[in-house]
Amino acid sequence: MILKGPGGFGRIVNFTMNVILGIMLSFYVLWTVQGIPGNEGLPLLTPVGFFVSLAQSMAVGYLVSDLFPAYSWGEALARIMHAKGVFAHVIASTVLGFVMATCISFILMWVNNIQLSGIEGVLALWTMVYPMILVGAIVLVIAFLPPVKKLAAAISGFNPEDAPPKRNVEGDLAGRVA
């Protein structure tokens, strides 16, 4: 089944977190751009505009989170820092939030503005909204990832915390060769 096992766990976490991040990103960007002088009368922050932005954000976010193992990078950083518990979660979530906020916001700014504004306009708009998107993404990942992982474990029947530890293939092979 598509939502069962380790693959299902990953899909559920990926999709749900992208909905959460997409709602924040879509609303904040549309609200900010709507407030730029001269844009007050444009139909930017509308229900249709919001759902189009959310769909774009989720599509890009799902792809980004499938291509970049950002949470694993964060877990590796936490291990290097010898972090445990909540501190390890904050480190891993910060890396995940940074990667997701940066990639999604820049790609969407580029897709939606490059033709009309050129790269200068893309960079100007992106740097205007990026700091709040970054903070918002990190806070949302820290707050929502644990309950989303619990939900995914309940639906998928798989919990990575209960899975056997990963084997070090290179170490195993080196031990056999020697």
Side-chain angles (χ1 to χ4, degrees):
M1 174 130 279
I2 195 165
L3 297 179
K4 294 297 179 187
F9 178 88
R11 283 183 203 97
I12 294 165
V13 170
N14 192 346
F15 181 82
T16 307
M17 288 306 299
N18 274 295
V19 169
I20 292 166
L21 293 174
I23 288 169
M24 179 274 299
L25 189 141
S26 298
F27 179 80
Y28 179 72
V29 170
L30 291 172
W31 176 73
T32 301
V33 174
Q34 184 78 62
I36 294 174
N39 286 353
E40 299 92 342
L42 296 176
L44 300 173
L45 185 54
T46 64
V48 171
F50 174 78
F51 285 110
V52 167
S53 180
L54 179 60
Q56 290 176 331
S57 175
M58 288 179 58
V60 171
Y62 199 89
L63 179 66
V64 166
S65 55
D66 198 43
L67 292 176
F68 299 110
Y71 192 74
S72 295
W73 296 341
E75 288 180 317
L77 179 60
R79 279 192 303 278
I80 290 168
M81 297 174 70
H82 304 288
K84 302 282 186 217
V86 174
F87 190 53
H89 167 68
V90 169
I91 292 169
S93 295
T94 298
V95 172
L96 177 60
F98 170 78
V99 170
M100 296 301 288
T102 303
C103 293
I104 295 170
S105 64
F106 184 78
I107 291 168
L108 289 177
M109 280 294 171
W110 186 82
V111 165
N112 289 313
N113 297 293
I114 191 69
Q115 286 184 302
L116 295 175
S117 304
I119 193 65
E120 298 85 7
V122 169
L123 291 174
L125 287 168
W126 183 64
T127 56
M128 180 175 67
V129 297
Y130 179 67
M132 287 302 296
I133 287 172
L134 178 61
V135 170
I138 291 170
V139 168
L140 289 174
V141 172
I142 289 170
F144 284 96
L145 189 58
V148 167
K149 287 168 78 175
K150 285 181 183 175
L151 173 70
I155 293 171
S156 70
F158 174 79
N159 187 343
E161 294 173 11
D162 297 338
K166 295 179 184 175
R167 291 181 35 197
N168 181 349
V169 176
E170 293 161 357
D172 289 348
L173 292 176
R176 290 185 197 154
V177 173

mmCIF file of all heavy atoms in Angstrom, residues 119-139:
data_model
loop_
_atom_site.group_PDB
_atom_site.id
_atom_site.type_symbol
_atom_site.label_atom_id
_atom_site.label_comp_id
_atom_site.label_asym_id
_atom_site.label_seq_id
_atom_site.Cartn_x
_atom_site.Cartn_y
_atom_site.Cartn_z
ATOM 1 N N ILE A 119 16.459 38.635 -12.950
ATOM 2 C CA ILE A 119 17.083 38.087 -11.752
ATOM 3 C C ILE A 119 17.190 39.138 -10.653
ATOM 4 O O ILE A 119 17.103 38.807 -9.471
ATOM 5 C CB ILE A 119 18.456 37.436 -12.067
ATOM 6 C CG1 ILE A 119 18.949 36.594 -10.883
ATOM 7 C CG2 ILE A 119 19.482 38.495 -12.443
ATOM 8 C CD1 ILE A 119 18.118 35.395 -10.562
ATOM 9 N N GLU A 120 17.339 40.417 -11.035
ATOM 10 C CA GLU A 120 17.411 41.474 -10.015
ATOM 11 C C GLU A 120 16.115 41.559 -9.221
ATOM 12 O O GLU A 120 16.122 41.690 -8.003
ATOM 13 C CB GLU A 120 17.719 42.831 -10.655
ATOM 14 C CG GLU A 120 19.050 42.903 -11.369
ATOM 15 C CD GLU A 120 18.990 42.392 -12.806
ATOM 16 O OE1 GLU A 120 17.866 42.097 -13.313
ATOM 17 O OE2 GLU A 120 20.056 42.259 -13.420
ATOM 18 N N GLY A 121 14.993 41.485 -9.931
ATOM 19 C CA GLY A 121 13.695 41.514 -9.257
ATOM 20 C C GLY A 121 13.468 40.292 -8.395
ATOM 21 O O GLY A 121 12.918 40.381 -7.286
ATOM 22 N N VAL A 122 13.886 39.128 -8.908
ATOM 23 C CA VAL A 122 13.756 37.894 -8.138
ATOM 24 C C VAL A 122 14.531 38.015 -6.832
ATOM 25 O O VAL A 122 14.021 37.728 -5.750
ATOM 26 C CB VAL A 122 14.245 36.677 -8.954
ATOM 27 C CG1 VAL A 122 14.375 35.437 -8.075
ATOM 28 C CG2 VAL A 122 13.325 36.402 -10.124
ATOM 29 N N LEU A 123 15.787 38.448 -6.935
ATOM 30 C CA LEU A 123 16.623 38.569 -5.736
ATOM 31 C C LEU A 123 16.091 39.626 -4.774
ATOM 32 O O LEU A 123 16.138 39.438 -3.555
ATOM 33 C CB LEU A 123 18.072 38.868 -6.128
ATOM 34 C CG LEU A 123 18.803 37.711 -6.817
ATOM 35 C CD1 LEU A 123 20.175 38.168 -7.301
ATOM 36 C CD2 LEU A 123 18.903 36.502 -5.908
ATOM 37 N N ALA A 124 15.578 40.737 -5.325
ATOM 38 C CA ALA A 124 15.036 41.784 -4.456
ATOM 39 C C ALA A 124 13.819 41.283 -3.683
ATOM 40 O O ALA A 124 13.717 41.480 -2.468
ATOM 41 C CB ALA A 124 14.670 43.011 -5.285
ATOM 42 N N LEU A 125 12.905 40.624 -4.380
ATOM 43 C CA LEU A 125 11.710 40.093 -3.707
ATOM 44 C C LEU A 125 12.073 38.982 -2.731
ATOM 45 O O LEU A 125 11.547 38.922 -1.618
ATOM 46 C CB LEU A 125 10.702 39.579 -4.733
ATOM 47 C CG LEU A 125 9.952 40.638 -5.517
ATOM 48 C CD1 LEU A 125 9.209 40.016 -6.689
ATOM 49 C CD2 LEU A 125 8.989 41.388 -4.617
ATOM 50 N N TRP A 126 12.966 38.106 -3.150
ATOM 51 C CA TRP A 126 13.338 36.985 -2.291
ATOM 52 C C TRP A 126 14.003 37.463 -1.008
ATOM 53 O O TRP A 126 13.655 37.001 0.082
ATOM 54 C CB TRP A 126 14.234 36.017 -3.054
ATOM 55 C CG TRP A 126 14.597 34.805 -2.268
ATOM 56 C CD1 TRP A 126 13.748 33.833 -1.810
ATOM 57 C CD2 TRP A 126 15.896 34.431 -1.822
ATOM 58 N NE1 TRP A 126 14.455 32.865 -1.113
ATOM 59 C CE2 TRP A 126 15.780 33.214 -1.114
ATOM 60 C CE3 TRP A 126 17.157 34.996 -1.965
ATOM 61 C CZ2 TRP A 126 16.871 32.569 -0.547
ATOM 62 C CZ3 TRP A 126 18.236 34.341 -1.411
ATOM 63 C CH2 TRP A 126 18.097 33.149 -0.710
ATOM 64 N N THR A 127 14.940 38.388 -1.122
ATOM 65 C CA THR A 127 15.614 38.872 0.094
ATOM 66 C C THR A 127 14.664 39.655 0.997
ATOM 67 O O THR A 127 14.884 39.726 2.196
ATOM 68 C CB THR A 127 16.859 39.717 -0.239
ATOM 69 O OG1 THR A 127 16.487 40.802 -1.092
ATOM 70 C CG2 THR A 127 17.937 38.871 -0.904
ATOM 71 N N MET A 128 13.600 40.187 0.414
ATOM 72 C CA MET A 128 12.615 40.909 1.224
ATOM 73 C C MET A 128 11.812 39.943 2.107
ATOM 74 O O MET A 128 11.548 40.237 3.269
ATOM 75 C CB MET A 128 11.661 41.700 0.315
ATOM 76 C CG MET A 128 10.604 42.483 1.061
ATOM 77 S SD MET A 128 9.586 43.509 -0.018
ATOM 78 C CE MET A 128 8.712 42.295 -0.961
ATOM 79 N N VAL A 129 11.444 38.795 1.568
ATOM 80 C CA VAL A 129 10.590 37.873 2.316
ATOM 81 C C VAL A 129 11.360 36.749 3.004
ATOM 82 O O VAL A 129 10.851 36.124 3.935
ATOM 83 C CB VAL A 129 9.489 37.256 1.411
ATOM 84 C CG1 VAL A 129 8.559 38.328 0.889
ATOM 85 C CG2 VAL A 129 10.077 36.434 0.282
ATOM 86 N N TYR A 130 12.581 36.493 2.575
ATOM 87 C CA TYR A 130 13.324 35.324 3.068
ATOM 88 C C TYR A 130 13.539 35.297 4.581
ATOM 89 O O TYR A 130 13.345 34.236 5.190
ATOM 90 C CB TYR A 130 14.660 35.196 2.324
ATOM 91 C CG TYR A 130 15.481 34.025 2.794
ATOM 92 C CD1 TYR A 130 15.048 32.722 2.569
ATOM 93 C CD2 TYR A 130 16.674 34.210 3.472
ATOM 94 C CE1 TYR A 130 15.803 31.638 3.010
ATOM 95 C CE2 TYR A 130 17.427 33.134 3.909
ATOM 96 C CZ TYR A 130 16.986 31.851 3.673
ATOM 97 O OH TYR A 130 17.727 30.784 4.113
ATOM 98 N N PRO A 131 13.936 36.381 5.230
ATOM 99 C CA PRO A 131 14.192 36.263 6.682
ATOM 100 C C PRO A 131 12.987 35.737 7.478
ATOM 101 O O PRO A 131 13.141 34.843 8.318
ATOM 102 C CB PRO A 131 14.566 37.696 7.101
ATOM 103 C CG PRO A 131 15.121 38.308 5.860
ATOM 104 C CD PRO A 131 14.310 37.718 4.733
ATOM 105 N N MET A 132 11.811 36.248 7.205
ATOM 106 C CA MET A 132 10.623 35.787 7.947
ATOM 107 C C MET A 132 10.228 34.372 7.540
ATOM 108 O O MET A 132 9.752 33.590 8.379
ATOM 109 C CB MET A 132 9.447 36.747 7.751
ATOM 110 C CG MET A 132 9.614 38.043 8.505
ATOM 111 S SD MET A 132 9.835 37.816 10.298
ATOM 112 C CE MET A 132 8.280 37.109 10.761
ATOM 113 N N ILE A 133 10.410 34.035 6.258
ATOM 114 C CA ILE A 133 10.119 32.669 5.815
ATOM 115 C C ILE A 133 11.056 31.694 6.517
ATOM 116 O O ILE A 133 10.640 30.631 6.964
ATOM 117 C CB ILE A 133 10.240 32.559 4.278
ATOM 118 C CG1 ILE A 133 9.052 33.269 3.626
ATOM 119 C CG2 ILE A 133 10.315 31.111 3.828
ATOM 120 C CD1 ILE A 133 9.160 33.379 2.122
ATOM 121 N N LEU A 134 12.319 32.067 6.612
ATOM 122 C CA LEU A 134 13.300 31.204 7.268
ATOM 123 C C LEU A 134 12.935 30.977 8.741
ATOM 124 O O LEU A 134 12.873 29.829 9.203
ATOM 125 C CB LEU A 134 14.704 31.810 7.162
ATOM 126 C CG LEU A 134 15.827 31.031 7.845
ATOM 127 C CD1 LEU A 134 15.967 29.641 7.232
ATOM 128 C CD2 LEU A 134 17.127 31.813 7.740
ATOM 129 N N VAL A 135 12.665 32.039 9.449
ATOM 130 C CA VAL A 135 12.292 31.917 10.865
ATOM 131 C C VAL A 135 11.000 31.112 11.002
ATOM 132 O O VAL A 135 10.907 30.199 11.830
ATOM 133 C CB VAL A 135 12.153 33.308 11.520
ATOM 134 C CG1 VAL A 135 11.533 33.209 12.902
ATOM 135 C CG2 VAL A 135 13.509 34.003 11.583
ATOM 136 N N GLY A 136 10.018 31.433 10.179
ATOM 137 C CA GLY A 136 8.744 30.718 10.238
ATOM 138 C C GLY A 136 8.899 29.234 9.954
ATOM 139 O O GLY A 136 8.321 28.393 10.655
ATOM 140 N N ALA A 137 9.696 28.885 8.951
ATOM 141 C CA ALA A 137 9.885 27.476 8.603
ATOM 142 C C ALA A 137 10.575 26.723 9.736
ATOM 143 O O ALA A 137 10.153 25.611 10.088
ATOM 144 C CB ALA A 137 10.692 27.354 7.315
ATOM 145 N N ILE A 138 11.596 27.318 10.311
ATOM 146 C CA ILE A 138 12.309 26.643 11.394
ATOM 147 C C ILE A 138 11.387 26.431 12.593
ATOM 148 O O ILE A 138 11.332 25.340 13.166
ATOM 149 C CB ILE A 138 13.586 27.418 11.776
ATOM 150 C CG1 ILE A 138 14.611 27.316 10.634
ATOM 151 C CG2 ILE A 138 14.170 26.914 13.092
ATOM 152 C CD1 ILE A 138 15.812 28.230 10.784
ATOM 153 N N VAL A 139 10.632 27.457 12.958
ATOM 154 C CA VAL A 139 9.707 27.334 14.097
ATOM 155 C C VAL A 139 8.643 26.270 13.807
ATOM 156 O O VAL A 139 8.339 25.428 14.667
ATOM 157 C CB VAL A 139 9.057 28.699 14.426
ATOM 158 C CG1 VAL A 139 7.900 28.546 15.391
ATOM 159 C CG2 VAL A 139 10.104 29.657 14.981
#
